PDB file of all heavy atoms in Angstrom:
ATOM      1  N   SER A  18       5.929 -15.007 -31.914  1.00  0.00           N
ATOM      2  CA  SER A  18       5.339 -16.115 -32.668  1.00  0.00           C
ATOM      3  C   SER A  18       4.558 -17.032 -31.726  1.00  0.00           C
ATOM      4  O   SER A  18       4.871 -17.134 -30.537  1.00  0.00           O
ATOM      5  CB  SER A  18       6.433 -16.923 -33.364  1.00  0.00           C
ATOM      6  OG  SER A  18       7.191 -17.650 -32.404  1.00  0.00           O
ATOM      7  N   ALA A  23       3.951 -20.438 -26.829  1.00  0.00           N
ATOM      8  CA  ALA A  23       3.671 -21.785 -26.314  1.00  0.00           C
ATOM      9  C   ALA A  23       4.848 -22.295 -25.488  1.00  0.00           C
ATOM     10  O   ALA A  23       4.665 -22.902 -24.420  1.00  0.00           O
ATOM     11  CB  ALA A  23       3.354 -22.742 -27.460  1.00  0.00           C
ATOM     12  N   ILE A  32       3.852 -22.160  -7.677  1.00  0.00           N
ATOM     13  CA  ILE A  32       4.379 -22.504  -6.363  1.00  0.00           C
ATOM     14  C   ILE A  32       3.314 -22.211  -5.315  1.00  0.00           C
ATOM     15  O   ILE A  32       2.390 -21.434  -5.553  1.00  0.00           O
ATOM     16  CB  ILE A  32       5.673 -21.725  -6.027  1.00  0.00           C
ATOM     17  CG1 ILE A  32       5.399 -20.217  -5.980  1.00  0.00           C
ATOM     18  CG2 ILE A  32       6.773 -22.053  -7.011  1.00  0.00           C
ATOM     19  CD1 ILE A  32       6.544 -19.403  -5.417  1.00  0.00           C
ATOM     20  N   ARG A  38       3.354 -16.125   9.273  1.00  0.00           N
ATOM     21  CA  ARG A  38       3.370 -14.905  10.064  1.00  0.00           C
ATOM     22  C   ARG A  38       3.185 -13.713   9.145  1.00  0.00           C
ATOM     23  O   ARG A  38       3.671 -13.703   8.029  1.00  0.00           O
ATOM     24  CB  ARG A  38       4.718 -14.807  10.773  1.00  0.00           C
ATOM     25  CG  ARG A  38       4.901 -13.615  11.655  1.00  0.00           C
ATOM     26  CD  ARG A  38       6.205 -13.735  12.425  1.00  0.00           C
ATOM     27  NE  ARG A  38       7.339 -13.631  11.524  1.00  0.00           N
ATOM     28  CZ  ARG A  38       8.274 -12.692  11.608  1.00  0.00           C
ATOM     29  NH1 ARG A  38       8.211 -11.798  12.552  1.00  0.00           N
ATOM     30  NH2 ARG A  38       9.261 -12.654  10.761  1.00  0.00           N
ATOM     31  N   GLY A  41       2.853  -6.076   9.904  1.00  0.00           N
ATOM     32  CA  GLY A  41       2.350  -4.867   9.269  1.00  0.00           C
ATOM     33  C   GLY A  41       3.119  -3.640   9.720  1.00  0.00           C
ATOM     34  O   GLY A  41       3.853  -3.668  10.705  1.00  0.00           O
ATOM     35  N   TRP A  43       2.528   0.746   9.980  1.00  0.00           N
ATOM     36  CA  TRP A  43       1.679   1.916   9.794  1.00  0.00           C
ATOM     37  C   TRP A  43       2.381   2.914   8.894  1.00  0.00           C
ATOM     38  O   TRP A  43       3.562   3.182   9.063  1.00  0.00           O
ATOM     39  CB  TRP A  43       1.402   2.599  11.134  1.00  0.00           C
ATOM     40  CG  TRP A  43       0.464   1.853  12.008  1.00  0.00           C
ATOM     41  CD1 TRP A  43       0.802   0.987  13.015  1.00  0.00           C
ATOM     42  CD2 TRP A  43      -0.950   1.887  11.964  1.00  0.00           C
ATOM     43  NE1 TRP A  43      -0.317   0.490  13.586  1.00  0.00           N
ATOM     44  CE2 TRP A  43      -1.429   1.028  12.966  1.00  0.00           C
ATOM     45  CE3 TRP A  43      -1.870   2.555  11.178  1.00  0.00           C
ATOM     46  CZ2 TRP A  43      -2.766   0.832  13.202  1.00  0.00           C
ATOM     47  CZ3 TRP A  43      -3.209   2.351  11.418  1.00  0.00           C
ATOM     48  CH2 TRP A  43      -3.650   1.501  12.415  1.00  0.00           C
ATOM     49  N   LEU A  45       1.586   6.640   8.119  1.00  0.00           N
ATOM     50  CA  LEU A  45       0.681   7.738   8.439  1.00  0.00           C
ATOM     51  C   LEU A  45       1.267   9.087   8.032  1.00  0.00           C
ATOM     52  O   LEU A  45       1.106  10.080   8.714  1.00  0.00           O
ATOM     53  CB  LEU A  45       0.376   7.729   9.945  1.00  0.00           C
ATOM     54  CG  LEU A  45      -0.292   6.460  10.468  1.00  0.00           C
ATOM     55  CD1 LEU A  45      -0.387   6.494  11.983  1.00  0.00           C
ATOM     56  CD2 LEU A  45      -1.653   6.263   9.835  1.00  0.00           C
ATOM     57  N   GLN A  47       4.336  10.078   8.008  1.00  0.00           N
ATOM     58  CA  GLN A  47       5.359  10.564   8.923  1.00  0.00           C
ATOM     59  C   GLN A  47       6.451  11.337   8.200  1.00  0.00           C
ATOM     60  O   GLN A  47       7.110  12.178   8.812  1.00  0.00           O
ATOM     61  CB  GLN A  47       6.028   9.398   9.683  1.00  0.00           C
ATOM     62  CG  GLN A  47       5.089   8.561  10.494  1.00  0.00           C
ATOM     63  CD  GLN A  47       4.606   7.330   9.749  1.00  0.00           C
ATOM     64  OE1 GLN A  47       4.346   7.385   8.559  1.00  0.00           O
ATOM     65  NE2 GLN A  47       4.467   6.229  10.456  1.00  0.00           N
ATOM     66  N   LYS A  49       6.048  13.481   5.898  1.00  0.00           N
ATOM     67  CA  LYS A  49       5.519  14.754   5.380  1.00  0.00           C
ATOM     68  C   LYS A  49       5.667  15.854   6.422  1.00  0.00           C
ATOM     69  O   LYS A  49       5.891  15.604   7.600  1.00  0.00           O
ATOM     70  CB  LYS A  49       4.034  14.607   5.021  1.00  0.00           C
ATOM     71  CG  LYS A  49       3.736  13.503   4.033  1.00  0.00           C
ATOM     72  CD  LYS A  49       4.267  13.829   2.678  1.00  0.00           C
ATOM     73  CE  LYS A  49       3.872  12.728   1.701  1.00  0.00           C
ATOM     74  NZ  LYS A  49       4.444  12.893   0.414  1.00  0.00           N
ATOM     75  N   GLU A  50       5.495  17.093   5.978  1.00  0.00           N
ATOM     76  CA  GLU A  50       5.540  18.229   6.898  1.00  0.00           C
ATOM     77  C   GLU A  50       4.318  18.194   7.811  1.00  0.00           C
ATOM     78  O   GLU A  50       3.286  17.621   7.475  1.00  0.00           O
ATOM     79  CB  GLU A  50       5.562  19.535   6.114  1.00  0.00           C
ATOM     80  CG  GLU A  50       6.856  19.742   5.339  1.00  0.00           C
ATOM     81  CD  GLU A  50       6.921  21.109   4.681  1.00  0.00           C
ATOM     82  OE1 GLU A  50       6.233  22.037   5.149  1.00  0.00           O
ATOM     83  OE2 GLU A  50       7.663  21.238   3.697  1.00  0.00           O
ATOM     84  N   ASP A  53       0.938  19.102   6.398  1.00  0.00           N
ATOM     85  CA  ASP A  53       0.377  18.085   5.520  1.00  0.00           C
ATOM     86  C   ASP A  53      -0.244  16.938   6.317  1.00  0.00           C
ATOM     87  O   ASP A  53      -1.283  16.402   5.954  1.00  0.00           O
ATOM     88  CB  ASP A  53       1.444  17.536   4.573  1.00  0.00           C
ATOM     89  CG  ASP A  53       1.959  18.597   3.612  1.00  0.00           C
ATOM     90  OD1 ASP A  53       1.186  19.525   3.281  1.00  0.00           O
ATOM     91  OD2 ASP A  53       3.125  18.508   3.193  1.00  0.00           O
ATOM     92  N   ALA A  57      -4.145  15.988   6.232  1.00  0.00           N
ATOM     93  CA  ALA A  57      -4.563  14.627   5.872  1.00  0.00           C
ATOM     94  C   ALA A  57      -5.486  14.056   6.933  1.00  0.00           C
ATOM     95  O   ALA A  57      -6.529  13.468   6.617  1.00  0.00           O
ATOM     96  CB  ALA A  57      -3.339  13.738   5.683  1.00  0.00           C
ATOM     97  N   LEU A  62     -11.013  12.600   8.474  1.00  0.00           N
ATOM     98  CA  LEU A  62     -12.100  12.728   9.439  1.00  0.00           C
ATOM     99  C   LEU A  62     -13.366  13.244   8.752  1.00  0.00           C
ATOM    100  O   LEU A  62     -14.459  12.719   8.957  1.00  0.00           O
ATOM    101  CB  LEU A  62     -11.687  13.659  10.579  1.00  0.00           C
ATOM    102  CG  LEU A  62     -12.671  13.809  11.720  1.00  0.00           C
ATOM    103  CD1 LEU A  62     -12.939  12.469  12.393  1.00  0.00           C
ATOM    104  CD2 LEU A  62     -12.155  14.817  12.734  1.00  0.00           C
ATOM    105  N   LYS A  63     -13.229  14.258   7.879  1.00  0.00           N
ATOM    106  CA  LYS A  63     -14.372  14.800   7.134  1.00  0.00           C
ATOM    107  C   LYS A  63     -15.041  13.739   6.265  1.00  0.00           C
ATOM    108  O   LYS A  63     -16.252  13.751   6.063  1.00  0.00           O
ATOM    109  CB  LYS A  63     -13.940  15.954   6.232  1.00  0.00           C
ATOM    110  CG  LYS A  63     -13.636  17.233   6.943  1.00  0.00           C
ATOM    111  CD  LYS A  63     -13.223  18.288   5.919  1.00  0.00           C
ATOM    112  CE  LYS A  63     -12.585  19.483   6.555  1.00  0.00           C
ATOM    113  NZ  LYS A  63     -12.083  20.446   5.560  1.00  0.00           N
ATOM    114  N   GLY A  65     -15.286  10.668   6.952  1.00  0.00           N
ATOM    115  CA  GLY A  65     -15.831   9.593   7.766  1.00  0.00           C
ATOM    116  C   GLY A  65     -14.879   8.434   7.994  1.00  0.00           C
ATOM    117  O   GLY A  65     -15.270   7.384   8.476  1.00  0.00           O
ATOM    118  N   LEU A  67     -12.935   7.308  10.257  1.00  0.00           N
ATOM    119  CA  LEU A  67     -12.671   7.543  11.665  1.00  0.00           C
ATOM    120  C   LEU A  67     -11.477   6.743  12.190  1.00  0.00           C
ATOM    121  O   LEU A  67     -10.694   7.253  12.999  1.00  0.00           O
ATOM    122  CB  LEU A  67     -13.917   7.215  12.492  1.00  0.00           C
ATOM    123  CG  LEU A  67     -15.185   7.965  12.087  1.00  0.00           C
ATOM    124  CD1 LEU A  67     -16.350   7.556  12.973  1.00  0.00           C
ATOM    125  CD2 LEU A  67     -14.968   9.464  12.121  1.00  0.00           C
ATOM    126  N   ILE A  69      -8.692   5.519  10.609  1.00  0.00           N
ATOM    127  CA  ILE A  69      -7.368   5.981  10.168  1.00  0.00           C
ATOM    128  C   ILE A  69      -7.092   7.405  10.634  1.00  0.00           C
ATOM    129  O   ILE A  69      -5.978   7.722  11.048  1.00  0.00           O
ATOM    130  CB  ILE A  69      -7.182   5.836   8.630  1.00  0.00           C
ATOM    131  CG1 ILE A  69      -5.725   6.092   8.240  1.00  0.00           C
ATOM    132  CG2 ILE A  69      -8.097   6.754   7.865  1.00  0.00           C
ATOM    133  CD1 ILE A  69      -4.779   5.035   8.695  1.00  0.00           C
ATOM    134  N   GLY A  71      -8.245   8.714  13.337  1.00  0.00           N
ATOM    135  CA  GLY A  71      -7.977   8.575  14.761  1.00  0.00           C
ATOM    136  C   GLY A  71      -6.569   8.065  15.030  1.00  0.00           C
ATOM    137  O   GLY A  71      -5.936   8.458  16.007  1.00  0.00           O
ATOM    138  N   PRO A  75      -2.802  11.228  17.122  1.00  0.00           N
ATOM    139  CA  PRO A  75      -1.743  11.330  18.132  1.00  0.00           C
ATOM    140  C   PRO A  75      -0.384  11.733  17.537  1.00  0.00           C
ATOM    141  O   PRO A  75       0.499  12.150  18.268  1.00  0.00           O
ATOM    142  CB  PRO A  75      -1.655   9.925  18.719  1.00  0.00           C
ATOM    143  CG  PRO A  75      -2.952   9.282  18.385  1.00  0.00           C
ATOM    144  CD  PRO A  75      -3.403   9.912  17.095  1.00  0.00           C
TER     145      PRO A  75
END
Side-chain angles (χ1 to χ4, degrees):
S18 70
I32 62 170
R38 181 173 68 120
W43 287 96
L45 300 173
Q47 301 95 321
K49 304 291 183 186
E50 292 186 24
D53 295 331
L62 185 60
K63 286 180 194 175
L67 304 180
I69 190 69

